[in-house]
Amino acid sequence: QVAAHAAQNFLGKDVLLIHVLSASAAEMKMIAAAGSPVSVSPGSDLRIGFGFTKTAEFLDAGITVGVSVDTTALSGNASLFGQLKKIREIENAKNHDEFKISARQMLELGTIEGARSLGLGDQIGSLKPGKRADIIMVSTQHLNMGVFTNPSHMLVEATLPENVDTVVVDGRILKRAGKLTSLSTK
């Protein structure tokens, strides 16, 4: 399918490709040459039998990669941390290499690389002056967070949605001390 899209000039920086699990090495070169980003969605891809992500191959080909959930009906939840961990486990297992993709790389896929894949890297995805104030703060006080070796590893390997203490989106506090601040929970 990628080759057909490339032949029709349907690839480009403004075209986000999703579910491209069957992309060949030649097609990955086409994607990279066109500058099309790819979104990987391991929860739904595994659930419906599409196959394993090719995250490492996309990265090795120089393709911008972001992470998506696709639909909670398939993935069960919208936990970005769960998706990041799943991708890392898949890629490290496929490559028989515990360090094929590092926890730091996974955090980058979930933050700045995800923003770049959407064409929003100049506005979100990292903490820099002039960018939107989109921040999450994770509490490390729960037992599941006891895998502390370095912050990236802890976030990717152990963090659950209930560990998110504070959420700030564009400067607005939406969650504080584990409680939603702008949505009614009744």
Side-chain angles (χ1 to χ4, degrees):
Q1 292 180 345
V2 172
H5 285 82
Q8 296 296 317
N9 289 325
F10 289 158
L11 299 179
K13 292 181 182 188
D14 60 340
V15 178
L16 177 64
L17 301 174
I18 305 169
H19 304 300
V20 286
L21 301 173
S22 62
S24 66
E27 289 174 319
M28 287 186 201
K29 287 181 184 176
M30 292 174 202
I31 294 168
S36 288
V38 168
S39 179
V40 295
S41 184
S44 59
D45 291 337
L46 290 171
R47 168 68 177 76
I48 57 180
F50 278 177
F52 296 107
T53 70
K54 291 187 174 185
T55 307
E57 293 95 329
F58 291 136
L59 293 172
D60 290 345
I63 297 169
T64 300
V65 177
V67 179
S68 60
V69 171
D70 191 16
T71 172
T72 57
L74 293 175
S75 63
N77 64 55
S79 170
L80 176 63
F81 295 113
Q83 298 301 304
L84 296 176
K85 181 177 180 178
K86 194 173 289 188
I87 292 168
R88 185 171 187 224
E89 290 171 344
I90 290 168
E91 294 301 330
N92 290 350
K94 284 189 337 187
N95 289 282
H96 304 282
D97 179 357
E98 179 182 359
F99 304 105
K100 177 61 180 173
I101 294 186
S102 70
R104 173 73 182 201
Q105 285 176 291
M106 290 312 310
L107 278 181
E108 289 171 356
L109 291 184
T111 55
I112 189 60
E113 293 303 322
R116 287 179 180 140
S117 75
L118 295 171
L120 298 172
D122 61 335
Q123 298 170 44
I124 60 172
S126 62
L127 299 176
K128 291 188 176 182
K131 286 190 171 187
R132 286 180 31 176
D134 293 349
I135 304 164
I136 65 162
M137 295 178 208
V138 175
S139 171
T140 59
Q141 302 303 310
H142 297 95
L143 288 176
N144 67 294
M145 299 302 280
V147 299
F148 189 86
T149 54
N150 69 53
S152 298
H153 179 78
M154 179 183 61
L155 288 170
V156 171
E157 295 299 321
T159 304
L160 300 171
E162 54 267 29
N163 298 125
V164 177
D165 178 81
T166 303
V167 176
V168 180
V169 177
D170 201 17
R172 261 183 69 218
I173 298 171
L174 301 181
K175 186 176 185 181
R176 177 181 280 152
K179 306 274 189 241
L180 297 175
T181 62
S182 64
L183 297 175
S184 173
T185 58
K186 293 181 182 183

